[in-house]
Amino acid sequence: MPQGDHIELHRKRYGRQLDHEERTRKREARSVKKRAAYAQKALGIKGKMFAKERYKEKALMKKTIAMHEQKDKNRKVKDADEGMARPAYLLERDQVDRAKVLSNTVKQKRKEKAGKWEVPLPKVRPVAEDEMFKVLRSGKRQKKEWKRMVTKVTFVPPGFTRKPPKYERFIRPTGLRMSKAHVTHPELKATFQLEIIGVKKNPNGHAYSSLGVITKGTIIEVNVSELGLVTPGGKVVWGKYAQVTNNPENDGCINAVLLV
């Protein structure tokens, strides 16, 4: 059991208090009034910071609501031949303008291309180089310690072959190589074991991404062909991004959340 999980273990063994749900509901109901009281009471820099955060939350909420309204709304296009007589079979037929929805889709695709996603873990602990690599002394060159062994979980493609030991600078141990991940779909509330296609972005830097190092917060690409996801155009989606939510080197498996 990972260190610090004693609370979860106790819950699994003995469950929660009988009135836990009711207490949680009441706490959430009271939180609105507590927050309002704090907003009135907070002075100086703390008050300014609180107001700024609340403003951001409200702006984001309004933007999301507006986007949903635009998505659901079918606006009729004004006909060029308005005022002219129309045949009976065309009277009920109206052209619908979906330009706004399309522009939102294009924006989302551009965001994905730029590497900006709405991720479950926006901030993760940076991993130091000493923690990531172990220095190896090999051969006669004792002073020039140039070899490094990766101490974190890595992904290598299926047709991967190692370099000869004489030229291999970064050693990725076979025991720490993983090719599958437990990916949770946030909308379906279900978890699937999917094959990893590649490591898209490691938050610690490009060097770790190119090495295929998987740490907490890493964006990986997984094969979702067995889920049967389809694009608006009707094509089957093959690869999708997911973010790693656990420390794989501690747990012995990769847990991730699909970025929908």
Side-chain angles (χ1 to χ4, degrees):
M1 185 182 75
Q3 195 176 1
D5 281 2
H6 52 276
I7 297 171
E8 282 80 2
L9 187 66
H10 187 276
R11 276 185 197 148
K12 279 179 187 173
R13 283 178 181 164
Y14 307 108
R16 295 178 183 270
Q17 281 183 307
L18 295 173
D19 61 342
H20 170 74
E21 282 77 18
E22 186 63 17
R23 283 166 61 128
T24 311
R25 186 189 64 76
K26 284 182 177 178
R27 195 184 302 118
E28 281 175 10
R30 282 196 301 267
S31 66
V32 182
K33 289 189 176 180
K34 283 181 88 175
R35 206 171 185 189
Y38 179 78
Q40 288 178 338
K41 192 174 67 178
L43 299 170
I45 190 73
K46 281 190 176 178
K48 283 183 180 177
M49 283 165 70
F50 181 83
K52 196 177 181 183
E53 285 298 314
R54 188 74 186 117
Y55 175 76
K56 278 184 191 173
E57 280 176 29
K58 281 185 177 177
L60 187 67
M61 202 187 298
K62 280 181 182 175
K63 203 178 279 183
T64 312
I65 291 166
M67 276 179 72
H68 279 293
E69 281 175 359
Q70 282 168 356
K71 190 178 174 184
D72 298 336
K73 205 188 295 177
N74 293 347
R75 288 170 301 160
K76 292 176 185 177
V77 179
K78 286 187 179 178
D79 291 328
D81 56 348
E82 200 174 4
M84 292 174 68
R86 294 172 77 187
Y89 62 86
L90 286 179
L91 288 174
E92 294 298 318
R93 192 179 295 176
D94 293 313
Q95 283 182 307
V96 175
D97 183 18
R98 305 286 289 175
K100 192 74 184 175
V101 180
L102 283 172
S103 70
N104 287 339
T105 315
V106 170
K107 278 179 191 172
Q108 190 64 33
K109 281 189 177 175
R110 279 183 190 158
K111 269 187 182 179
E112 281 180 13
K113 220 172 232 182
K116 292 172 184 171
W117 303 276
E118 288 290 328
V119 289
L121 303 176
K123 289 181 182 178
V124 286
R125 181 183 70 87
V127 182
E129 202 169 307
D130 302 338
E131 192 185 337
M132 189 80 79
F133 299 122
K134 181 185 172 187
V135 179
L136 284 186
R137 298 179 179 85
S138 65
K140 294 176 183 176
R141 294 194 277 185
Q142 291 293 333
K143 290 178 184 175
K144 294 182 181 176
E145 296 161 347
W146 59 284
K147 282 198 174 193
R148 298 284 180 274
M149 187 164 75
V150 182
T151 58
K152 303 285 178 188
V153 167
T154 54
F155 167 77
V156 291
F160 171 76
T161 51
R162 283 179 63 179
K163 285 183 182 178
K166 191 177 178 182
Y167 304 112
E168 195 175 31
R169 173 158 160 67
F170 295 105
I171 299 164
R172 290 173 277 187
T174 316
L176 284 172
R177 289 185 202 166
M178 290 187 189
S179 58
K180 292 194 174 183
H182 303 129
V183 182
T184 304
H185 197 295
E187 288 172 5
L188 298 176
K189 298 282 190 295
T191 306
F192 308 91
Q193 191 180 43
L194 305 175
E195 284 190 14
I196 301 170
I197 300 168
V199 176
K200 177 71 180 172
K201 191 176 183 182
N202 190 307
N204 295 298
H206 178 69
Y208 302 131
S209 306
S210 57
L211 275 170
V213 179
I214 299 172
T215 54
K216 192 174 184 177
T218 304
I219 306 289
I220 56 172
E221 193 173 4
V222 288
N223 187 352
V224 292
S225 54
E226 63 184 64
L227 301 189
L229 301 175
V230 183
T231 61
K235 291 180 181 177
V236 176
V237 179
W238 183 64
K240 238 177 160 17
Y241 295 131
Q243 190 182 32
V244 178
T245 54
N246 70 326
N247 293 312
E249 69 279 1
N250 293 349
D251 300 344
C253 65
I254 300 170
N255 297 336
V257 176
L258 204 68
L259 305 181
V260 182

